[in-house]
């Protein structure tokens, strides 16, 4: 492994979201990346050249005619570890898809031999236009990662898909892609790329390894459901959603289309994931089963309530002086994971989580069989373990009898191992 700073080319095309790229740039440079900013000429109408130069510490050019002696149109792309275009406009995506080379950024895209990530931002109509859809498909089919834009308020009064994701979340995608390619460099063993720890042998294998979930649709549940007692009270649990969100972030960076069914999570939306909110166990059941119809893999990381109050009170339950409160009768909720295991389409990989306080492995094996899952991530929970913490330790049990021990580490590391195991099981199922 070399110790030089990772080299990132940050392409900026002419969208109002260019101002958000300043924050992305700052995060990249402050975390030790050497960043060259390559704006399009029109992008400079939104944010000027001095801003990019000051924040990156490098001169900035839009044209191939500046500094010709250094052949910048070839050198920048060839030397980069990552090219990240944020925002990527409809026009930039079209020029990239058609292989045009009419400015420094499009030249750089043609000479890059590293991962290329586009973060599109535009009005919903432009994003959904068949021309843009076709260009996105072309870029994806050539190995680029094109992140789904976020939904929400756009520049005018309109709302819909087309927003540039939060810069902190885009930074996270860049970080994951760089980490995966650093691990997957040809000839380097290391810990990554594949579940068995052996590195890929060729550059082509390395390129395929960083986004091994490309063309896959994965559904992830996260957070903890709440079962209403009355309009102000609920039965809930201590799940923060951190593990499910880590699974979503890593899956996006590995190229998957991600549906994240989130129950009561107070975390920023991961870039590129479609967020489907679900409050109760029943809402989560409906959302997960609907999304799972076409999914290649479903990971149930959510803490779903096992019981809910049998009767919902329309009015707040009052303290009545001189009387004891009435007991709350509970009924079982539907077991979503078991239902997924029963009705899954051929080849779909189903992953469950099991939070156990005792007899951890024994309970895990029984649960894996009972819920007909392919993989079960078993971890010990209790005070100061797992819930709300950034780290986790687990054992991943496979229906094929396999066992993968994951030492205590960041929840993202566990997420990567889950995807390694899922990707290995998906190999026999061709992407759509
Ligand atoms: N799960 C689910 N639907 C439920 C309850 C749980 O899909 N109603 C899923 C969780 O998302 C998790 C897995 O099942 O992936 C294990 O949940 P857990 O509560 O540990 O299992 P239970 O079947 O409830 O077993 P226990 O008796 O240990 O609570």
């Amino acid at each position: 492994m070399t110790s030089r700073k990772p080299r990132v080319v940050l392409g900026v095309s002419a969208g109002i979201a260019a101002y958000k790229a300043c924050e992305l740039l700052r995060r990249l440079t402050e975390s030790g990346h050497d960043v060259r900013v390559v704006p399009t000429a029109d992008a400079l109408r939104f944010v000027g050249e001095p801003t990019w130069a000051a924040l990156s510490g490098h001169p900035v050019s839009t044209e191939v005619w500046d500094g010709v002696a250094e052949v910048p149109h070839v050198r920048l792309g060839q030397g980069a570890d990552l090219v990240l275009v944020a925002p990527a406009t409809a026009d930039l995506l079209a020029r990239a898809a058609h292989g045009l080379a009419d400015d420094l950024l499009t030249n750089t895209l043609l000479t890059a031999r590293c991962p290329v990530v586009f973060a599109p931002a535009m009005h919903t109509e432009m994003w959904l236009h068949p021309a843009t859809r076709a260009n996105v498909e072309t870029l994806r089919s050539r190995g680029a990662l094109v992140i789904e834009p976020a939904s929400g308020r756009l520049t005018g009064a309109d709302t819909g898909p087309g927003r540039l994701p939060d810069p902190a979340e885009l930074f996270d995608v860049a970080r994951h892609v760089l980490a995966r390619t650093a691990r997957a460099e040809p000839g380097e063993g290391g810990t990554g790329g594949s579940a068995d720890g052996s590195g890929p042998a060729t550059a082509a294998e390395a390129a395929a390894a960083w986004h091994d979930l490309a063309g896959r649709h994965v559904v992830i549940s996260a957070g903890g459901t709440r079962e209403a007692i009355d309009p102000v009270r609920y039965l809930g649990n201590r799940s923060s959603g951190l593990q499910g969100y880590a699974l979503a972030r890593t899956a996006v960076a590995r190229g998957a289309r991600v549906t994240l069914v989130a129950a009561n999570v107070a975390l920023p939306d991961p870039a590129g994931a479609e967020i489907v909110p679900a409050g109760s166990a029943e809402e989560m059941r409906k959302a997960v089963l609907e999304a799972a119809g076409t999914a290649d893999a479903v990971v149930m990381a959510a803490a779903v309530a096992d019981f809910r109050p049998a009767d919902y009170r329309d009015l707040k339950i009052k303290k009545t002086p001189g009387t004891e409160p009435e007991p709350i009768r509970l009924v079982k909720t539907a077991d979503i994971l078991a239902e997924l295991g029963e009705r899954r389409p051929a080849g779909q990989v189903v992953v469950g989580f099991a939070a156990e306080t005792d007899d951890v492995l024994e309970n895990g094996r029984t649960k894996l069989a009972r819920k007909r899952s392919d993989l079960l991530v078993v971890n010990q929970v209790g005070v100061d373990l797992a819930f709300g913490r950034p780290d986790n330790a687990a054992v991943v049990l496979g229906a094929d009898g396999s066992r993968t021990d994951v030492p205590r580490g960041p929840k993202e590391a566990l997420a990567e191992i889950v995807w390694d195991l899922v990707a290995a099981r998906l190999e026999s199922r061709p992407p759509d």
Side-chain angles (χ1 to χ4, degrees):
M1 240 355 135
T2 49
S3 58
R4 69 167 173 79
K5 287 182 172 185
R7 284 195 284 256
V8 178
V9 170
L10 176 61
V12 182
S13 55
I16 182 66
Y19 78 92
K20 293 190 190 171
C22 300
E23 168 71 10
L24 176 60
L25 171 58
R26 198 187 57 81
R27 283 180 184 268
L28 285 164
T29 51
E30 282 184 0
S31 56
H33 300 84
D34 182 17
V35 189
R36 300 296 298 249
V37 183
V38 184
T40 63
D42 280 344
L44 297 182
R45 292 169 182 253
F46 291 105
V47 178
E49 181 269 337
T51 303
W52 302 121
L55 288 176
S56 68
H58 288 296
V60 168
S61 170
T62 65
E63 297 303 328
V64 291
W65 307 115
D66 295 334
V68 173
E70 289 176 21
V71 207
H73 72 290
V74 176
R75 199 176 39 81
L76 280 175
Q78 281 179 343
D81 298 305
L82 171 70
V83 177
L84 169 61
V85 185
T89 58
D91 179 70
L92 189 278
L93 293 174
R95 288 192 292 139
H98 291 274
L100 298 191
D102 50 359
D103 62 6
L104 186 55
L105 179 53
T106 45
N107 274 273
T108 301
L109 288 167
L110 285 179
T111 51
R113 291 291 170 269
C114 59
V116 176
V117 178
F118 294 93
M122 64 196 73
H123 280 276
T124 305
E125 293 82 353
M126 298 173 88
W127 174 244
L128 297 178
H129 192 284
T132 308
R133 310 301 326 137
N135 291 330
V136 167
E137 281 320 305
T138 300
L139 292 166
R140 283 182 176 153
S141 71
R142 293 192 192 131
L145 176 59
V146 184
I147 296 172
E148 291 291 314
S151 281
R153 182 83 195 276
L154 300 169
T155 329
D158 44 349
T159 59
R163 275 170 67 91
L164 190 73
D166 195 58
E169 295 299 319
L170 285 177
F171 168 69
D172 207 64
V173 175
R175 198 170 58 80
H176 277 112
V177 171
L178 281 165
R180 280 192 67 72
T181 39
R183 289 188 305 169
E185 251 165 45
E188 293 197 7
T191 55
S194 50
D196 65 1
S198 63
T202 67
E205 274 181 42
W210 75 269
H211 57 3
D212 56 352
L213 295 176
R216 304 293 188 183
H217 176 210
V218 303
V219 178
I220 301 157
S221 72
T225 65
R226 292 177 182 173
E227 310 306 316
I229 299 170
D230 68 15
V232 293
R233 302 182 180 94
Y234 59 81
L235 292 177
N237 62 64
R238 297 173 56 204
S239 174
S240 61
L242 281 170
Q243 185 62 66
Y245 274 48
L247 281 156
R249 291 199 173 91
T250 45
V252 167
R254 289 170 80 145
R257 174 160 83 84
V258 176
T259 305
L260 178 58
V261 182
N264 309 298
V265 180
L267 296 172
D269 294 347
E274 184 199 358
I275 317 282
V276 182
S280 65
E282 189 49 32
E283 283 170 15
M284 175 159 279
R285 177 176 167 271
K286 286 196 183 117
V288 167
L289 292 182
E290 191 185 325
T294 54
D296 295 285
V298 187
V299 182
M300 284 296 298
V304 186
D306 291 325
F307 314 103
R308 64 172 172 79
D311 308 298
Y312 172 74
R313 311 293 180 89
D314 291 327
L315 299 176
K316 185 181 167 196
I317 303 168
K318 293 292 218 185
K319 280 188 301 226
T320 314
T323 60
E324 286 302 308
E326 276 183 39
I328 296 170
R329 198 168 63 83
L330 299 177
V331 290
K332 280 186 188 164
T333 56
D335 189 324
I336 308 167
L337 184 60
E339 219 170 319
L340 286 165
E342 249 167 59
R343 56 151 87 174
R344 65 167 121 187
Q348 185 177 78
V349 178
V350 175
V351 185
F353 272 68
E356 304 289 346
T357 52
D358 54 300
D359 293 334
V360 175
L361 284 184
E362 209 179 299
N363 286 338
R365 279 266 167 233
T366 313
K367 206 169 279 184
L368 177 70
R370 179 161 50 85
K371 304 207 183 201
R372 296 193 214 171
S373 306
D374 297 288
L375 295 164
L376 193 76
V377 184
V378 190
N379 59 359
Q380 188 163 23
V381 290
V383 178
D384 291 339
L385 286 175
F387 287 127
R389 287 181 53 134
D391 60 353
N392 215 345
V395 178
V396 189
L397 301 174
D400 53 5
S402 64
R403 171 188 169 155
T404 310
D405 288 73
V406 186
R408 180 157 297 284
K411 287 184 172 172
E412 287 171 358
L414 173 57
E416 294 280 18
I417 289 169
V418 169
W419 294 127
D420 287 344
L421 295 167
V422 168
R425 281 158 180 76
L426 280 174
E427 264 167 20
S428 55
R429 179 184 159 110
D432 290 337

